[in-house]
Amino acid sequence: MNSRPAKFAGYCMSLWMAFGAVAAEAPQPVIHPQRWPELPPALPRDEALEAHVEELLARMSPEQKVGQLIQADIGSITPNDLRHYPLGSILNGGNSAPGDDKLTAPSEWLALADRFYEASIGGAGATVIPALWGTDAVHGHNNIPGATIFPHNIGLGAARDPELIRRIGEITALEVRVTGLDWAFSPTVAVARDARWGRTYESYSENPDVVRQYAVAMVTGLQGAPGTPQFLDAAHVLATPKHFLGDGGTGGKDQGDNLYTEKQLLELDSLGYQAAILAGAQTVMASYSSWRGQKMHGNHALLTDVLKGRFGFEGLVIGDWNGHAQLPGCSATRCAAALNAGIDMFMAPDGWRELLKNTLDQVNAGEIGAARLDDAVRRVLRVKLRAHLDTEGRPSSRPYAGRYELLGSAEHRAVARQAVRESLVLLKNANHLLPLSPAAHVLVAGDGADSIAKQSGGWTIDWQGTEPNQDFPHGESIYAGIARCVSAAGGTPNLSPAGEFSTRPDVAIVVFGESPYAEYAGDVHTLEYSPGDKRDLALLRRLHALDIPVVAVFLSGRPLWVNAELNAADSFVAAWLPGPEGGGVADVLFRAHDGTVQYDFRGTLPFSWPSSPRPPAVDELPGEEPLFGVGYGLTYADDGYLKRLPEVDVPPALPPAPARKRSRGRN
Ligand code: BGC
Ligand code: BGC
């Protein structure tokens, strides 16, 4: 429990941090590598593979070497280009798809994978090894309509079920393989510490221990366990813990500045990476963010001395989407500094052509040393050989390729639905309103009730996640799941987003919350839910005032200040971003036909729930006292009474403005 003065001090501190003021006395950004743990090798040294790497390296021209270090986006490169420019990798960004058609058939993905593969080994500028294709499979193979899509990481964090996470990774890998791709840019192992950050939902938890366990589970699911025949076999893909390092500690700002001490960086932010590397992760993505004013893409101490030195990481460090361009003196098409700091592969979606030329010039001019160049190329080759890219053959010839029946198969979707059930957290349940009888007249209201996009969030079919229901071939909205369950029991489901009805319902389920967003588009200044639009609250209050029992199902990518909404509902469920398997919600809310409980709640909060619009305190980081702490979550056995909460925010009094001068930016 926080004492008043501590709370007050915390508030001053968070204000101070919120203004982006780097205190003048802040220590210089110095990393002491010897303070970071030395990890044992994740994989035993494979002499034959290393010899193969050397043999390939010896055959490569400087252009082929530089080419291996560049990844282009399929929106800006064609297979024909790859015949002339020997790039090592391609990706599809959140808004890129074959033929620029995000709804295209999975077979088009596989066909394009074949074309890129053949071009990468066939052309005049041919590389000695095929190109890798990476994708943001961050909650299932989420760019492919019809693939299985799981709850976002925040919901998985509520489930506290590492074995489920491993299985999700395994399914995701298999579905990626169906379309011929090799590499998933996941898991995000950020330890988000300020929910104003637009990427909070990509974080499993504010608790580094949960992130650590899940990092192992997800990497193992995606890649297979090191030392087993399954490791990176035809059913698995490369995993990418991201974004190294400290992206969750930037005071709620995407691509912001992390002001932690070195010790906090190590103890909070690095645990997921340590665990992932020990589990065999082969690639790590660098963060857009900074540590104490220095951009991570240029941080030699962390990328090279710590990650590759102390942690013994032998795989490749991929930059983020034009992340190198943000380094001082760099642009999207020229950046020796990133390579010299330890980035091994530039994510250069659109500037790849010029970047190839400029980087080659920099190699020839000695701005990038031969040893660094060869080290980066070795890493890329090593990862490719570990992934069997040299022997696997064309993407469509691989064992699971083209088995489209696996995309969104009943078996896979059952796991997604289980994950939905396990991710729900019950915050209030007055008078044991839940579980409900399905043989009732049920009003389903709120603009989230019948919107698969809203329940799925960003990184779903496209970057910001805006698809209409019909673009989810197997998807079920929360309403559709309720309707199926209630109709089967002889009850009557009634959908009215505005909450209108002609026959008085026995109960109203109001599904509402945040609209989809990704990355910085989701940054907010306040944790107050929907500060400018109180229509959801009005809806809850209207139904409540009519004495209709109200169940609130809250969709959000983060915990938010919802005191008023909590007061206006009899039961309140934090459902996070459950994804297209909406039926999982009804599984938990309703009893079976015979009156027994089918599934109880088992989710617990992965993040502290705010008691004000300001971020709650997290461990040694300052903030206000949370309304509910990490680990909170009711079950049907609990008395779900919740006292009436204050609806007006009374911020702690402001301290007098600090007299000292503020220095901005780099220190
Ligand atoms: C994001 C990464 C993502 C990459 C490729 C970036 O903007 O920060 O998480 O993997 O784009 O889509
Ligand atoms: C891409 C994303 C990427 C983002 C970065 C988008 O256009 O689709 O993959 O993360 O740009 O700003």
Side-chain angles (χ1 to χ4, degrees), residues 91-94 136 138 185 188 199 202 242-243 255 285 288 320-321 347 459 463 519:
L91 88 150
N92 63 288
D136 288 294
V138 299
F185 300 138
T188 295
R199 306 191 78 159
E202 297 185 54
K242 67 184 187 184
H243 309 79
Q255 309 191 4
M285 190 182 293
Y288 277 126
D320 203 342
W321 182 276
M347 191 185 288
W459 300 108
W463 186 36
E519 300 190 47

Side-chain angles (χ1 to χ4, degrees), residues 618-660:
V618 182
D619 299 340
E620 65 269 48
L621 301 181
E624 302 205 4
E625 198 173 316
L627 177 61
F628 304 114
V630 167
Y632 184 84
L634 300 166
T635 68
Y636 285 141
D638 293 312
D639 170 12
Y641 168 80
L642 180 65
K643 67 174 192 301
R644 198 173 164 80
L645 301 167
E647 299 191 357
V648 177
D649 172 45
V650 187
L654 285 176
R660 67 188 100 153

Side-chain angles (χ1 to χ4, degrees), residues 60 79 99 166 311 355 388 424 432 479 509 526 540 567 601 651:
M60 293 168 81
R166 194 198 56 78
F311 294 174
L355 182 66
H388 311 293
L424 305 174
H432 291 277
Y479 167 70
I509 300 175
T526 168
L540 294 166
N567 286 338
F601 281 88

Side-chain angles (χ1 to χ4, degrees), residues 157-406:
R160 298 287 205 291
D161 186 348
E163 173 49 26
L164 173 69
I165 305 312
R166 194 198 56 78
R167 181 79 183 113
I168 289 173
E170 196 170 66
I171 292 170
T172 303
L174 199 61
E175 296 201 9
V176 170
R177 283 301 207 150
V178 169
T179 58
L181 281 47
D182 315 287
W183 181 2
F185 300 138
S186 69
T188 295
V189 296
V191 179
R193 288 292 179 121
D194 184 331
R196 293 174 301 180
W197 187 33
R199 306 191 78 159
T200 300
Y201 66 82
E202 297 185 54
S203 169
Y204 294 118
S205 177
E206 73 184 33
N207 179 337
D209 208 49
V210 174
V211 173
R212 194 180 52 75
Q213 283 183 35
Y214 273 23
V216 173
M218 185 53 85
V219 168
T220 308
L222 287 167
Q223 298 196 345
T228 68
Q230 288 75 40
F231 185 65
L232 292 173
D233 70 2
H236 293 91
V237 296
L238 294 162
T240 308
K242 67 184 187 184
H243 309 79
F244 188 86
L245 180 68
D247 54 346
T250 57
K253 258 190 78 61
D254 194 38
Q255 309 191 4
D257 194 11
N258 182 316
L259 298 177
Y260 291 178
T261 61
E262 180 180 9
K263 187 165 181 285
Q264 287 171 319
L265 206 54
L266 193 166
E267 289 172 0
L268 300 178
D269 287 326
S270 85
L271 297 194
Y273 295 93
Q274 295 188 41
I277 289 164
L278 288 172
Q282 291 298 301
T283 88
V284 167
M285 190 182 293
S287 180
Y288 277 126
S289 55
S290 305
W291 182 62
R292 294 183 172 266
Q294 188 189 358
K295 282 279 173 191
M296 280 305 314
H297 278 63
N299 195 318
H300 185 276
L302 285 167
L303 293 176
T304 299
D305 302 338
V306 170
L307 179 60
K308 297 176 180 175
R310 302 297 289 184
F311 294 174
F313 177 64
E314 297 180 313
L316 72 89
V317 177
I318 172 88
D320 203 342
W321 182 276
N322 278 331
H324 55 276
Q326 299 186 11
L327 292 191
C330 285
S331 70
T333 57
R334 164 185 288 272
C335 191
L339 209 63
N340 285 334
I343 300 286
D344 300 306
M345 187 185 276
F346 293 100
M347 191 185 288
D350 38 15
W352 55 271
R353 197 185 311 249
E354 268 188 87
L355 182 66
L356 177 63
K357 183 188 167 303
N358 292 337
T359 308
L360 192 55
D361 289 348
Q362 289 169 326
V363 164
N364 291 333
E367 270 180 75
I368 296 161
R372 173 75 271 263
L373 175 70
D374 283 357
D375 171 56
V377 178
R378 272 192 195 99
R379 288 170 179 276
V380 175
L381 296 175
R382 180 181 297 127
V383 170
K384 288 185 172 185
L385 294 181
R386 282 181 175 171
H388 311 293
L389 212 62
D390 56 328
T391 52
E392 271 198 312
R394 295 164 69 213
S396 65
S397 73
R398 302 173 191 167
Y400 295 96
R403 296 207 26 208
Y404 303 117
E405 75 282 4
L406 292 173

Side-chain angles (χ1 to χ4, degrees), residues 448-652:
D450 197 30
S451 167
I452 298 179
K454 195 153 172 151
Q455 72 201 36
S456 300
W459 300 108
T460 305
I461 312 298
D462 66 15
W463 186 36
Q464 296 291 327
T466 52
E467 292 311 292
N469 285 1
Q470 69 263 21
D471 294 344
F472 295 88
H474 310 292
E476 193 173 50
S477 72
I478 292 174
Y479 167 70
I482 292 172
R484 193 157 45 79
C485 160
V486 169
S487 305
T492 42
N494 190 1
L495 173 68
S496 168
E500 277 144 16
F501 54 86
S502 40
T503 317
R504 186 186 164 85
D506 299 320
V507 63
I509 300 175
V510 181
V511 188
F512 66 105
E514 292 188 300
S515 294
Y517 51 79
E519 300 190 47
Y520 45 83
D523 281 2
V524 290
H525 296 294
T526 168
L527 290 182
E528 176 176 354
Y529 169 61
S530 193
D533 178 352
K534 295 296 174 190
R535 274 177 292 184
D536 295 321
L537 179 59
L539 170 60
L540 294 166
R541 281 182 174 157
R542 179 166 60 77
L543 296 167
H544 195 69
L546 293 169
D547 268 336
I548 296 168
V550 175
V551 178
V553 175
F554 186 52
L555 299 171
S556 71
R558 54 188 139 213
L560 287 167
W561 186 54
V562 286
N563 277 9
E565 289 80 2
L566 277 159
N567 286 338
D570 299 280
S571 298
F572 194 102
V573 178
W576 317 110
L577 298 170
E581 298 308 318
V585 175
D587 287 346
V588 180
L589 297 189
F590 289 90
R591 293 177 185 276
H593 297 193
D594 64 4
T596 55
V597 170
Q598 311 186 76
Y599 297 98
D600 201 343
F601 281 88
R602 51 160 288 174
T604 59
L605 290 180
F607 288 88
S608 336
W609 198 277
S611 57
S612 87
R614 291 167 298 282
V618 182
D619 299 340
E620 65 269 48
L621 301 181
E624 302 205 4
E625 198 173 316
L627 177 61
F628 304 114
V630 167
Y632 184 84
L634 300 166
T635 68
Y636 285 141
D638 293 312
D639 170 12
Y641 168 80
L642 180 65
K643 67 174 192 301
R644 198 173 164 80
L645 301 167
E647 299 191 357
V648 177
D649 172 45
V650 187

